[in-house]
Amino acid sequence: MTHTLRPYLHLALLATLPVLPLSAARAQSTSRPANLPQPVPLPPPIAAPVDKPYPGRITLMVDITDVNRRIIAAHESIPVSGSELTLLYPQWIPGDHSPTGPLSRLAGLRVSADGRPVPWTRDRVDVYAFHIAVPPGVKVLDVDFDYLAPMRDTEGRISMTTEIADFAWDSALLYPAGYFSRRITVSPSIKLPDGWQFASALDVQPASTAGAAAPPNVVQFRDTTLNTLVDSPIYAGSHFKRVDLSNEPGNPVHLDLFADNDAALAFTPEQLQLHRNLVSEAARLYGSHHYAHYDFLLSLSDKVGGMGLEHHQSSEDGIERNYFTDWTAGVRERDLLAHEYTHSWNGKFRRPADLWTPNFNVPMQDDLLWVYEGMTEYWGYVLTARSGLRTAAQTRDLIAEIAAEYDVSLGRTWRPLIDTTNQPTISMRAPVPWVSWLRPEDYYREGLLIWLDADTRIRELSGDKKSLDDFARLFFGIENGSYVTHTYSLDDVVAALNAVQPYDWATFLRTRVYELAPQTPKDGIARGGYTLAYSDAAPDWREHADATTPAQTGIHFLTSLGINIEPDGSLSEVLWEGPAWKAGMTRDMKVTAVNGESFNLERLKTAIAASQTSREPIQLLVKRGEEYQTVSIDYHGGPRYPVLQRNEGTPDRLDAILAPSK
């Protein structure tokens, strides 16, 4: 009981202390012994961004040659006027939807003018801001610092190896506060390791206008705006191949491949054609494009971390080394390029109004991510199927997985979909425990199911004369060739849907997104001509992936035992209130034995299959830290692989959606 009395005791003691007159108290608080340092004056407030040009041009040179130590050196020359300057390190990175700017990796910051050091002070509240008192008469400040890229995956995604570098400009620049990023002009250049090649959406400065000749491994780019620079990363490496995917002269698109070795760059003519089909299918869907040229920057690596980040005229894409060499193994991740390419239209050219910000240190608001990401996820799946990068059957299998996992995930019973759009800011995109209970970013895949519902409903209401394709062309296909971002609101989305097919779309979206919706949104599957069912045999492509590359994604048993498990027995997920959860299993456990025999995936599959005819629970020996324990999973349902079962006699709208366009 003492813990409940302590606050009252504290108040009683305060009541016994002498009370000083206000003037005496203020005198005491401002009187300091002479031997103590005086308080540091408060820095000036950080200026809000204003839509006016920054005077002068910033030059930025980054050196990425120290790939062994993974140190990137940045040098900036920043024109200044006046006596105060605040520099900002980018915090809110477009596409991250959260304040993930890697400030903790900035080191060695030095500011100078005419060769003399100039002190800087970090803001006491906004640690991404650095205040500088500019010495009288100084017109240019030189700023140098290092960006320390992660060396182990425990420090963050590996973005640099001795063969490949995925370089984002926002990691190695500081910029002046008080201006829209589009009104700050930058002259960027990069120094590459000897023999490396690069790709980027940025245009290179022609040699005839570049001034003094630069070293052969220094690339000078054309002047650009700060917002375009941050939106134009560079991939570079020693194993490189560039492929033209253009479907017509006015739509230049390239696939820029960087790999751990030359063997990973080997693709077949058929694989190349599938990627070209993607560009053609997107052109037919949207009827426009909003880039001078588009570059898929794709790393094929088992060393560089996986990646998918959208940009207006390029995308950062990272996948396993066997992307081409073991084609069937990559079915699950095959929609990566289609998803990021779609963002050039949805997310970049057209963007939710609350996700548009004047610079990279104004907070974003994510409430329309179920459109920005959810609809993009839908079109990513559709375009992947239409191009042939995945078959219609494989796409149906994956849609079945999504619906089945939501059917057994209880997070939907307490958290409406709209609240999951807050998760990027809540967790900073970091992994969370108990995914099925938290449902951290369901706006992606649940968004897919909602937009499938909308597509099939438009088709049904219009007698299959209209579809969500018409919405895509109406909403994203405007102003062909324009790079100027057009923002949108929920009202704009509803109005465009009604322009395609009149319906109460406001209620349709409110009940699925903004209200608690415990039931999985499977109406689109049913209206598409299918029902979610289960099979005791996995699809062939999944069997192949499980057998050849299980470490890439883990093996999914969520709809049976309620776990995802790695080849070594580590658990990557335990389903909330699933069979394994009820037996006491947690994600920090590692399975070491199955029914008395040492663990491997085949023995676990055999035990699951045998559960249908056995009354005995499945016995697993698990290790947690230094302790071992046996858990008994009372499961007798056998293998349960989600499939979509055709409803004969109903319109086959889903396959019509996934079929190549005409």
Side-chain angles (χ1 to χ4, degrees):
M1 294 293 291
T2 55
H3 65 284
T4 60
L5 296 178
R6 286 186 186 277
Y8 302 100
L9 177 62
H10 177 65
L11 291 174
L13 289 173
L14 285 176
T16 65
L17 296 177
V19 178
L20 294 175
L22 180 60
S23 58
R26 182 173 295 154
Q28 279 198 2
S29 66
T30 57
S31 175
R32 300 172 59 87
N35 61 335
L36 290 181
Q38 294 301 305
V40 177
L42 289 174
I46 301 171
V50 177
D51 192 2
K52 64 180 181 181
Y54 184 76
R57 179 188 65 175
I58 297 172
T59 62
L60 169 63
M61 170 67 180
V62 294
D63 183 337
I64 67 168
T65 58
D66 195 351
V67 293
N68 185 54
R69 287 185 286 251
R70 301 178 188 176
I71 299 171
I72 295 174
H75 172 78
E76 293 180 85
S77 292
I78 303 176
V80 292
S81 59
S83 60
E84 301 287 347
L85 178 69
T86 299
L87 295 177
L88 302 175
Y89 187 76
Q91 181 179 18
W92 289 82
I93 311 304
D96 282 2
H97 315 311
S98 56
T100 54
L103 180 63
S104 62
R105 301 189 190 120
L106 184 153
L109 177 60
R110 302 171 299 280
V111 181
S112 62
D114 301 322
R116 295 187 296 273
V118 176
W120 55 266
T121 303
R122 193 189 298 263
D123 193 271
R124 295 184 187 179
V125 176
D126 185 348
V127 294
Y128 282 77
F130 300 86
H131 300 284
I132 301 166
V134 180
V138 168
K139 301 299 182 184
V140 176
L141 286 176
D142 291 309
V143 178
D144 295 271
F145 63 91
D146 297 320
Y147 173 75
L148 311 179
M151 301 191 72
R152 293 181 288 190
D153 54 14
T154 54
E155 300 168 357
R157 171 183 171 263
I158 301 299
S159 60
M160 176 183 285
T161 70
T162 54
E163 294 90 17
I164 301 173
D166 169 6
F167 171 67
W169 294 96
D170 55 87
S171 65
L173 67 83
L174 294 166
Y175 70 96
Y179 299 84
F180 279 26
S181 59
R182 69 186 183 199
R183 305 303 297 274
I184 299 174
T185 301
V186 183
S187 175
S189 60
I190 188 168
K191 185 176 181 181
L192 304 173
D194 291 338
W196 278 32
Q197 299 183 71
F198 76 95
S200 174
L202 294 175
D203 293 323
V204 176
Q205 180 78 10
S208 59
T209 59
N217 60 336
V218 172
V219 183
Q220 177 66 54
F221 297 99
R222 289 183 185 272
D223 290 1
T224 188
T225 58
L226 179 64
N227 63 317
T228 298
L229 180 68
V230 168
D231 198 40
S232 305
I234 290 176
Y235 272 27
S238 54
H239 306 282
F240 168 70
K241 187 178 289 187
R242 192 175 205 219
V243 183
D244 187 0
L245 302 181
S246 307
N247 68 320
E248 58 184 8
N251 186 26
V253 179
H254 290 91
L255 178 62
D256 303 304
L257 303 171
F258 296 85
D260 293 339
N261 53 44
D262 286 339
L265 299 173
F267 50 78
T268 67
E270 292 77 16
Q271 290 170 335
L272 176 58
Q273 185 58 51
L274 297 178
H275 290 81
R276 287 178 172 152
N277 293 349
L278 172 59
V279 177
S280 297
E281 287 291 348
R284 284 192 281 269
L285 175 63
Y286 299 116
S288 68
H289 65 270
H290 306 283
Y291 46 78
H293 56 87
Y294 190 91
D295 285 80
F296 291 103
L297 307 175
L298 178 60
S299 65
L300 309 175
S301 176
D302 296 333
K303 301 176 183 178
V304 171
M307 185 59 166
L309 185 60
E310 65 271 15
H311 302 282
H312 202 146
Q313 302 189 78
S314 64
S315 56
E316 290 177 80
D317 307 304
I319 207 158
E320 288 80 10
R321 185 192 301 176
N322 66 350
Y323 179 71
F324 289 118
T325 57
D326 189 352
W327 189 246
T328 303
V331 167
R332 193 179 297 279
E333 306 299 325
R334 197 73 54 70
D335 62 300
L336 172 64
L337 298 185
H339 180 102
E340 303 307 338
Y341 191 32
T342 289
H343 272 314
S344 182
W345 289 269
N346 183 17
K348 290 300 179 179
F349 171 63
R350 297 224 62 180
R351 189 178 310 170
D354 289 345
L355 275 169
W356 182 93
T357 56
N359 70 17
F360 305 111
N361 293 70
V362 173
M364 299 175 183
Q365 298 179 56
D366 293 340
D367 58 296
L368 284 180
L369 283 182
W370 56 275
V371 184
Y372 180 118
E373 294 290 6
M375 185 182 287
T376 296
E377 187 82 345
Y378 178 69
W379 288 127
Y381 270 52
V382 170
L383 289 173
T384 301
R386 289 180 182 178
S387 66
L389 285 164
R390 272 199 301 239
T391 67
Q394 291 166 346
T395 305
R396 291 195 304 267
D397 291 339
L398 288 166
I399 292 174
E401 277 192 8
I402 293 171
E405 289 179 14
Y406 284 145
D407 270 357
V408 295
S409 297
L410 297 182
R412 6 181 0 88
T413 63
W414 72 272
R415 192 175 194 184
L417 184 66
I418 188 62
D419 190 56
T420 71
T421 66
N422 294 310
Q423 194 65 38
T425 303
I426 293 170
S427 64
M428 303 280 284
R429 309 306 290 265
V432 298
W434 304 112
V435 171
S436 61
W437 187 232
L438 280 172
R439 63 179 316 217
E441 295 189 35
D442 279 2
Y443 53 82
Y444 278 93
R445 301 196 308 160
E446 186 169 335
L448 181 154
L449 295 179
I450 290 171
W451 290 111
L452 173 61
D453 188 353
D455 196 348
T456 56
R457 191 173 294 269
I458 292 172
R459 291 170 186 259
E460 179 184 62
L461 292 171
S462 67
D464 292 305
K465 295 178 181 178
K466 296 180 181 179
S467 69
L468 202 64
D469 290 47
D470 297 287
F471 171 90
R473 184 176 287 262
L474 173 66
F475 201 67
F476 303 115
I478 60 175
E479 298 191 20
N480 182 39
S482 172
Y483 311 152
V484 178
T485 298
H486 287 242
T487 61
Y488 62 80
S489 66
L490 176 59
D491 288 344
D492 295 326
V493 174
V494 170
L497 287 168
N498 276 310
V500 172
Q501 175 59 54
Y503 183 66
D504 187 1
W505 292 108
T507 299
F508 175 91
L509 296 174
R510 186 187 71 248
T511 55
R512 288 158 177 78
V513 177
Y514 294 88
E515 296 177 359
L516 194 64
Q519 301 302 315
T520 304
K522 292 183 288 192
D523 287 352
I525 294 173
R527 207 177 294 110
Y530 287 86
T531 298
L532 176 64
Y534 294 89
S535 169
D536 59 3
D540 290 344
W541 66 265
R542 178 171 167 174
E543 284 283 5
H544 176 81
D546 287 357
T548 58
T549 54
Q552 291 181 2
T553 57
I555 309 301
H556 298 241
F557 297 113
L558 285 179
T559 51
S560 55
L561 296 186
I563 59 173
N564 283 349
I565 192 166
E566 304 296 333
D568 67 351
S570 300
L571 297 176
S572 54
E573 176 62 8
V574 176
L575 186 73
W576 188 270
E577 291 194 13
W581 187 92
K582 292 176 180 176
M585 295 187 73
T586 58
R587 201 172 65 176
D588 58 344
M589 291 178 175
K590 181 177 181 178
V591 179
T592 62
V594 181
N595 289 338
E597 296 184 294
S598 61
F599 167 82
N600 62 45
L601 288 170
E602 286 307 312
R603 283 183 178 139
L604 182 58
K605 289 181 179 180
T606 299
I608 294 172
S611 70
Q612 296 178 94
T613 57
S614 172
R615 295 183 178 181
E616 299 299 320
I618 297 173
Q619 301 282 348
L620 299 180
L621 180 65
V622 299
K623 183 180 181 182
R624 190 183 203 182
E626 297 301 315
E627 299 179 357
Y628 287 85
Q629 59 179 293
T630 298
V631 296
S632 299
I633 304 180
D634 192 17
Y635 175 78
H636 303 282
R640 297 181 79 241
Y641 295 101
V643 295
L644 293 188
Q645 189 175 77
R646 181 75 177 96
N647 292 332
E648 298 300 333
T650 63
D652 191 356
R653 295 190 179 96
L654 179 55
D655 281 358
I657 290 169
L658 302 179
S661 59
K662 299 177 182 179

